[in-house]
Amino acid sequence: MSTSFDYGRAFARNLGWVTPEEQAALRGKRVAIAGGGGVGGVYLLTLARLGIASFHVADFDTFDLVNFNRQVGAMMSTLDQPKAEVLARMAKDINPEIEIKVFDQGINPDNLDSFLDGVDLYVDGLDFFAFDIRQRTFAACAAKAIPATTVAPLGMGAALLNFMPGGMSFDDYFQWGELPELDKAIRFVVGLAPAGLHRPYLVLPSAVNFKERRGPSTIMACQLCAGIAATEALKILLRRGEVRAAPHGMQFDAYRNKLTRTWRPGGNRNPLHRLMIAVARRQMTRELQESPQ
């Protein structure tokens, strides 16, 4: 027996944690997600199950075997298919009424305004090394007074930073400016997770290679990121609950059973961060010099 889709029945089990009026409000929100990989894909599906019904989704890549360990859209049936289109199909399979605008060339300076047009929240799912477009996107969110959240999958945990209108901006926190990519990478890691909860159990350090733009990942981290990002989205969109914004941050590590909240006034200008950046830069420079050419 076929069952026709009914929004009220599909998301009735959300009620209790949200009111019927709040569920209706979520239905009317629009969220932009850049990146359809490890975190971006599961963000979309999680927010779709929360009942949000309008999205802008951007990704230029296709699914490959190396995505299978962590990306929800990566399956044998989707190999070589565009990530954004596959994920849009999956979301519409959850809610056929969803409106999704797909940016299948990813986001760039030419379409960034369109990508952020009319959205209530931006959720960062870009690749770690997408420095330029990430910097541009967060700057555009600040200019347009769009709340933005980023949750980094680190080891078997997640690190959260929110950037709210009128608060500390991404640029102010990370202090990237026009620095070289290596310096941006170091400042990104230090700024995202100053507590460093994930570092002690990295059993194969050589798997982290900034020169080749690769690093290890786990599905556990991506799933944890989705839970955290969706919860922050609920609080921001419904204006209910405490939203801790930069320079406040949070890192949870399931492997170590630890939760750490951080507060770093000045972001990467903070003396502690400056020390961590200097140490990390010396270590990384040494590793790059010692690596085979």
Side-chain angles (χ1 to χ4, degrees), residues 123-147:
V123 183
D124 179 25
L126 290 167
D127 182 85
F128 177 90
F129 297 98
F131 301 119
D132 181 66
I133 195 59
R134 174 175 278 113
Q135 193 170 5
R136 290 174 182 267
T137 303
F138 276 94
C141 286
K144 296 173 181 289
I146 298 171

PDB file of all heavy atoms in Angstrom, residues 123-147:
ATOM      1  N   VAL A 123      25.508  27.121   6.948  1.00  0.00           N
ATOM      2  CA  VAL A 123      26.209  26.036   7.638  1.00  0.00           C
ATOM      3  C   VAL A 123      27.395  25.621   6.766  1.00  0.00           C
ATOM      4  O   VAL A 123      27.216  25.216   5.613  1.00  0.00           O
ATOM      5  CB  VAL A 123      25.278  24.831   7.906  1.00  0.00           C
ATOM      6  CG1 VAL A 123      26.025  23.757   8.694  1.00  0.00           C
ATOM      7  CG2 VAL A 123      24.036  25.272   8.676  1.00  0.00           C
ATOM      8  N   ASP A 124      28.577  25.716   7.328  1.00  0.00           N
ATOM      9  CA  ASP A 124      29.813  25.487   6.583  1.00  0.00           C
ATOM     10  C   ASP A 124      30.120  23.999   6.471  1.00  0.00           C
ATOM     11  O   ASP A 124      30.343  23.318   7.482  1.00  0.00           O
ATOM     12  CB  ASP A 124      30.953  26.212   7.311  1.00  0.00           C
ATOM     13  CG  ASP A 124      32.304  26.018   6.641  1.00  0.00           C
ATOM     14  OD1 ASP A 124      32.329  25.755   5.426  1.00  0.00           O
ATOM     15  OD2 ASP A 124      33.337  26.140   7.328  1.00  0.00           O
ATOM     16  N   GLY A 125      30.141  23.501   5.232  1.00  0.00           N
ATOM     17  CA  GLY A 125      30.517  22.120   4.989  1.00  0.00           C
ATOM     18  C   GLY A 125      31.638  22.021   3.968  1.00  0.00           C
ATOM     19  O   GLY A 125      31.843  20.962   3.368  1.00  0.00           O
ATOM     20  N   LEU A 126      32.362  23.130   3.773  1.00  0.00           N
ATOM     21  CA  LEU A 126      33.437  23.160   2.786  1.00  0.00           C
ATOM     22  C   LEU A 126      34.614  22.279   3.210  1.00  0.00           C
ATOM     23  O   LEU A 126      34.845  22.053   4.399  1.00  0.00           O
ATOM     24  CB  LEU A 126      33.929  24.595   2.592  1.00  0.00           C
ATOM     25  CG  LEU A 126      32.969  25.556   1.884  1.00  0.00           C
ATOM     26  CD1 LEU A 126      33.445  26.985   2.046  1.00  0.00           C
ATOM     27  CD2 LEU A 126      32.839  25.189   0.409  1.00  0.00           C
ATOM     28  N   ASP A 127      35.366  21.834   2.239  1.00  0.00           N
ATOM     29  CA  ASP A 127      36.593  21.104   2.490  1.00  0.00           C
ATOM     30  C   ASP A 127      37.534  21.956   3.338  1.00  0.00           C
ATOM     31  O   ASP A 127      37.577  23.184   3.210  1.00  0.00           O
ATOM     32  CB  ASP A 127      37.257  20.747   1.151  1.00  0.00           C
ATOM     33  CG  ASP A 127      38.527  19.944   1.328  1.00  0.00           C
ATOM     34  OD1 ASP A 127      38.456  18.713   1.459  1.00  0.00           O
ATOM     35  OD2 ASP A 127      39.606  20.577   1.339  1.00  0.00           O
ATOM     36  N   PHE A 128      38.288  21.313   4.209  1.00  0.00           N
ATOM     37  CA  PHE A 128      39.202  22.027   5.104  1.00  0.00           C
ATOM     38  C   PHE A 128      40.082  23.014   4.345  1.00  0.00           C
ATOM     39  O   PHE A 128      40.331  24.135   4.815  1.00  0.00           O
ATOM     40  CB  PHE A 128      40.083  21.013   5.844  1.00  0.00           C
ATOM     41  CG  PHE A 128      41.128  21.640   6.739  1.00  0.00           C
ATOM     42  CD1 PHE A 128      40.840  21.927   8.061  1.00  0.00           C
ATOM     43  CD2 PHE A 128      42.407  21.941   6.248  1.00  0.00           C
ATOM     44  CE1 PHE A 128      41.795  22.520   8.890  1.00  0.00           C
ATOM     45  CE2 PHE A 128      43.357  22.529   7.073  1.00  0.00           C
ATOM     46  CZ  PHE A 128      43.045  22.823   8.393  1.00  0.00           C
ATOM     47  N   PHE A 129      40.554  22.619   3.167  1.00  0.00           N
ATOM     48  CA  PHE A 129      41.534  23.415   2.437  1.00  0.00           C
ATOM     49  C   PHE A 129      40.915  24.471   1.509  1.00  0.00           C
ATOM     50  O   PHE A 129      41.649  25.142   0.777  1.00  0.00           O
ATOM     51  CB  PHE A 129      42.445  22.489   1.629  1.00  0.00           C
ATOM     52  CG  PHE A 129      43.265  21.564   2.474  1.00  0.00           C
ATOM     53  CD1 PHE A 129      42.858  20.252   2.683  1.00  0.00           C
ATOM     54  CD2 PHE A 129      44.421  22.010   3.099  1.00  0.00           C
ATOM     55  CE1 PHE A 129      43.608  19.402   3.476  1.00  0.00           C
ATOM     56  CE2 PHE A 129      45.175  21.159   3.900  1.00  0.00           C
ATOM     57  CZ  PHE A 129      44.769  19.852   4.093  1.00  0.00           C
ATOM     58  N   ALA A 130      39.606  24.653   1.557  1.00  0.00           N
ATOM     59  CA  ALA A 130      38.951  25.659   0.710  1.00  0.00           C
ATOM     60  C   ALA A 130      39.053  27.029   1.371  1.00  0.00           C
ATOM     61  O   ALA A 130      38.053  27.662   1.732  1.00  0.00           O
ATOM     62  CB  ALA A 130      37.494  25.262   0.481  1.00  0.00           C
ATOM     63  N   PHE A 131      40.264  27.498   1.543  1.00  0.00           N
ATOM     64  CA  PHE A 131      40.505  28.694   2.336  1.00  0.00           C
ATOM     65  C   PHE A 131      39.884  29.956   1.730  1.00  0.00           C
ATOM     66  O   PHE A 131      39.201  30.714   2.417  1.00  0.00           O
ATOM     67  CB  PHE A 131      42.009  28.906   2.534  1.00  0.00           C
ATOM     68  CG  PHE A 131      42.696  27.770   3.223  1.00  0.00           C
ATOM     69  CD1 PHE A 131      43.718  27.066   2.601  1.00  0.00           C
ATOM     70  CD2 PHE A 131      42.313  27.380   4.496  1.00  0.00           C
ATOM     71  CE1 PHE A 131      44.356  26.017   3.235  1.00  0.00           C
ATOM     72  CE2 PHE A 131      42.946  26.326   5.150  1.00  0.00           C
ATOM     73  CZ  PHE A 131      43.968  25.646   4.509  1.00  0.00           C
ATOM     74  N   ASP A 132      40.142  30.201   0.454  1.00  0.00           N
ATOM     75  CA  ASP A 132      39.700  31.456  -0.155  1.00  0.00           C
ATOM     76  C   ASP A 132      38.185  31.602  -0.144  1.00  0.00           C
ATOM     77  O   ASP A 132      37.653  32.618   0.311  1.00  0.00           O
ATOM     78  CB  ASP A 132      40.226  31.563  -1.591  1.00  0.00           C
ATOM     79  CG  ASP A 132      39.800  32.867  -2.252  1.00  0.00           C
ATOM     80  OD1 ASP A 132      40.243  33.932  -1.798  1.00  0.00           O
ATOM     81  OD2 ASP A 132      39.003  32.807  -3.210  1.00  0.00           O
ATOM     82  N   ILE A 133      37.476  30.589  -0.631  1.00  0.00           N
ATOM     83  CA  ILE A 133      36.025  30.715  -0.714  1.00  0.00           C
ATOM     84  C   ILE A 133      35.386  30.658   0.665  1.00  0.00           C
ATOM     85  O   ILE A 133      34.348  31.285   0.907  1.00  0.00           O
ATOM     86  CB  ILE A 133      35.413  29.644  -1.658  1.00  0.00           C
ATOM     87  CG1 ILE A 133      33.970  30.022  -2.004  1.00  0.00           C
ATOM     88  CG2 ILE A 133      35.509  28.256  -1.054  1.00  0.00           C
ATOM     89  CD1 ILE A 133      33.814  31.365  -2.683  1.00  0.00           C
ATOM     90  N   ARG A 134      35.990  29.957   1.617  1.00  0.00           N
ATOM     91  CA  ARG A 134      35.471  29.964   2.991  1.00  0.00           C
ATOM     92  C   ARG A 134      35.580  31.382   3.568  1.00  0.00           C
ATOM     93  O   ARG A 134      34.643  31.883   4.189  1.00  0.00           O
ATOM     94  CB  ARG A 134      36.230  28.970   3.863  1.00  0.00           C
ATOM     95  CG  ARG A 134      35.824  29.035   5.336  1.00  0.00           C
ATOM     96  CD  ARG A 134      36.495  27.975   6.183  1.00  0.00           C
ATOM     97  NE  ARG A 134      35.807  26.690   6.088  1.00  0.00           N
ATOM     98  CZ  ARG A 134      36.311  25.603   5.529  1.00  0.00           C
ATOM     99  NH1 ARG A 134      37.521  25.633   4.983  1.00  0.00           N
ATOM    100  NH2 ARG A 134      35.623  24.475   5.493  1.00  0.00           N
ATOM    101  N   GLN A 135      36.722  32.011   3.370  1.00  0.00           N
ATOM    102  CA  GLN A 135      36.926  33.363   3.874  1.00  0.00           C
ATOM    103  C   GLN A 135      35.921  34.332   3.248  1.00  0.00           C
ATOM    104  O   GLN A 135      35.315  35.158   3.943  1.00  0.00           O
ATOM    105  CB  GLN A 135      38.363  33.808   3.563  1.00  0.00           C
ATOM    106  CG  GLN A 135      38.821  35.062   4.277  1.00  0.00           C
ATOM    107  CD  GLN A 135      40.318  35.280   4.111  1.00  0.00           C
ATOM    108  OE1 GLN A 135      41.005  34.551   3.381  1.00  0.00           O
ATOM    109  NE2 GLN A 135      40.851  36.262   4.817  1.00  0.00           N
ATOM    110  N   ARG A 136      35.716  34.207   1.957  1.00  0.00           N
ATOM    111  CA  ARG A 136      34.764  35.075   1.253  1.00  0.00           C
ATOM    112  C   ARG A 136      33.326  34.824   1.737  1.00  0.00           C
ATOM    113  O   ARG A 136      32.536  35.759   1.892  1.00  0.00           O
ATOM    114  CB  ARG A 136      34.840  34.828  -0.251  1.00  0.00           C
ATOM    115  CG  ARG A 136      36.116  35.322  -0.921  1.00  0.00           C
ATOM    116  CD  ARG A 136      36.144  34.896  -2.373  1.00  0.00           C
ATOM    117  NE  ARG A 136      37.347  35.298  -3.067  1.00  0.00           N
ATOM    118  CZ  ARG A 136      37.482  36.423  -3.775  1.00  0.00           C
ATOM    119  NH1 ARG A 136      36.452  37.260  -3.856  1.00  0.00           N
ATOM    120  NH2 ARG A 136      38.611  36.704  -4.386  1.00  0.00           N
ATOM    121  N   THR A 137      32.994  33.562   1.961  1.00  0.00           N
ATOM    122  CA  THR A 137      31.624  33.224   2.345  1.00  0.00           C
ATOM    123  C   THR A 137      31.290  33.754   3.734  1.00  0.00           C
ATOM    124  O   THR A 137      30.217  34.340   3.940  1.00  0.00           O
ATOM    125  CB  THR A 137      31.411  31.700   2.284  1.00  0.00           C
ATOM    126  OG1 THR A 137      31.718  31.221   0.972  1.00  0.00           O
ATOM    127  CG2 THR A 137      29.972  31.337   2.624  1.00  0.00           C
ATOM    128  N   PHE A 138      32.184  33.558   4.678  1.00  0.00           N
ATOM    129  CA  PHE A 138      31.929  34.079   6.020  1.00  0.00           C
ATOM    130  C   PHE A 138      31.898  35.603   6.035  1.00  0.00           C
ATOM    131  O   PHE A 138      31.125  36.209   6.778  1.00  0.00           O
ATOM    132  CB  PHE A 138      32.962  33.540   7.009  1.00  0.00           C
ATOM    133  CG  PHE A 138      32.617  32.181   7.561  1.00  0.00           C
ATOM    134  CD1 PHE A 138      33.120  31.038   6.976  1.00  0.00           C
ATOM    135  CD2 PHE A 138      31.773  32.057   8.648  1.00  0.00           C
ATOM    136  CE1 PHE A 138      32.804  29.776   7.473  1.00  0.00           C
ATOM    137  CE2 PHE A 138      31.439  30.813   9.158  1.00  0.00           C
ATOM    138  CZ  PHE A 138      31.957  29.667   8.569  1.00  0.00           C
ATOM    139  N   ALA A 139      32.731  36.234   5.208  1.00  0.00           N
ATOM    140  CA  ALA A 139      32.707  37.696   5.115  1.00  0.00           C
ATOM    141  C   ALA A 139      31.367  38.174   4.547  1.00  0.00           C
ATOM    142  O   ALA A 139      30.797  39.172   5.018  1.00  0.00           O
ATOM    143  CB  ALA A 139      33.855  38.192   4.247  1.00  0.00           C
ATOM    144  N   ALA A 140      30.865  37.452   3.545  1.00  0.00           N
ATOM    145  CA  ALA A 140      29.568  37.811   2.967  1.00  0.00           C
ATOM    146  C   ALA A 140      28.444  37.616   3.973  1.00  0.00           C
ATOM    147  O   ALA A 140      27.510  38.424   4.041  1.00  0.00           O
ATOM    148  CB  ALA A 140      29.314  36.977   1.713  1.00  0.00           C
ATOM    149  N   CYS A 141      28.529  36.556   4.775  1.00  0.00           N
ATOM    150  CA  CYS A 141      27.515  36.337   5.811  1.00  0.00           C
ATOM    151  C   CYS A 141      27.521  37.491   6.811  1.00  0.00           C
ATOM    152  O   CYS A 141      26.460  37.987   7.218  1.00  0.00           O
ATOM    153  CB  CYS A 141      27.788  35.017   6.544  1.00  0.00           C
ATOM    154  SG  CYS A 141      27.389  33.535   5.599  1.00  0.00           S
ATOM    155  N   ALA A 142      28.713  37.928   7.206  1.00  0.00           N
ATOM    156  CA  ALA A 142      28.806  39.046   8.146  1.00  0.00           C
ATOM    157  C   ALA A 142      28.203  40.309   7.541  1.00  0.00           C
ATOM    158  O   ALA A 142      27.471  41.042   8.215  1.00  0.00           O
ATOM    159  CB  ALA A 142      30.265  39.272   8.537  1.00  0.00           C
ATOM    160  N   ALA A 143      28.494  40.563   6.269  1.00  0.00           N
ATOM    161  CA  ALA A 143      27.981  41.761   5.602  1.00  0.00           C
ATOM    162  C   ALA A 143      26.468  41.727   5.462  1.00  0.00           C
ATOM    163  O   ALA A 143      25.799  42.767   5.523  1.00  0.00           O
ATOM    164  CB  ALA A 143      28.639  41.913   4.227  1.00  0.00           C
ATOM    165  N   LYS A 144      25.908  40.517   5.283  1.00  0.00           N
ATOM    166  CA  LYS A 144      24.467  40.362   5.090  1.00  0.00           C
ATOM    167  C   LYS A 144      23.731  40.052   6.396  1.00  0.00           C
ATOM    168  O   LYS A 144      22.519  39.810   6.385  1.00  0.00           O
ATOM    169  CB  LYS A 144      24.201  39.236   4.087  1.00  0.00           C
ATOM    170  CG  LYS A 144      24.724  39.492   2.676  1.00  0.00           C
ATOM    171  CD  LYS A 144      24.562  38.261   1.803  1.00  0.00           C
ATOM    172  CE  LYS A 144      25.099  38.475   0.400  1.00  0.00           C
ATOM    173  NZ  LYS A 144      24.229  39.390  -0.384  1.00  0.00           N
ATOM    174  N   ALA A 145      24.456  40.042   7.530  1.00  0.00           N
ATOM    175  CA  ALA A 145      23.871  39.732   8.846  1.00  0.00           C
ATOM    176  C   ALA A 145      23.213  38.357   8.861  1.00  0.00           C
ATOM    177  O   ALA A 145      22.134  38.164   9.429  1.00  0.00           O
ATOM    178  CB  ALA A 145      22.877  40.810   9.258  1.00  0.00           C
ATOM    179  N   ILE A 146      23.879  37.377   8.250  1.00  0.00           N
ATOM    180  CA  ILE A 146      23.402  35.996   8.241  1.00  0.00           C
ATOM    181  C   ILE A 146      24.174  35.200   9.295  1.00  0.00           C
ATOM    182  O   ILE A 146      25.408  35.149   9.249  1.00  0.00           O
ATOM    183  CB  ILE A 146      23.601  35.341   6.857  1.00  0.00           C
ATOM    184  CG1 ILE A 146      22.795  36.080   5.792  1.00  0.00           C
ATOM    185  CG2 ILE A 146      23.223  33.858   6.900  1.00  0.00           C
ATOM    186  CD1 ILE A 146      23.115  35.634   4.375  1.00  0.00           C
ATOM    187  N   PRO A 147      23.510  34.567  10.257  1.00  0.00           N
ATOM    188  CA  PRO A 147      24.218  33.709  11.214  1.00  0.00           C
ATOM    189  C   PRO A 147      24.941  32.591  10.465  1.00  0.00           C
ATOM    190  O   PRO A 147      24.436  32.064   9.466  1.00  0.00           O
ATOM    191  CB  PRO A 147      23.098  33.147  12.093  1.00  0.00           C
ATOM    192  CG  PRO A 147      21.930  34.043  11.867  1.00  0.00           C
ATOM    193  CD  PRO A 147      22.052  34.570  10.479  1.00  0.00           C
TER     194      PRO A 147
END
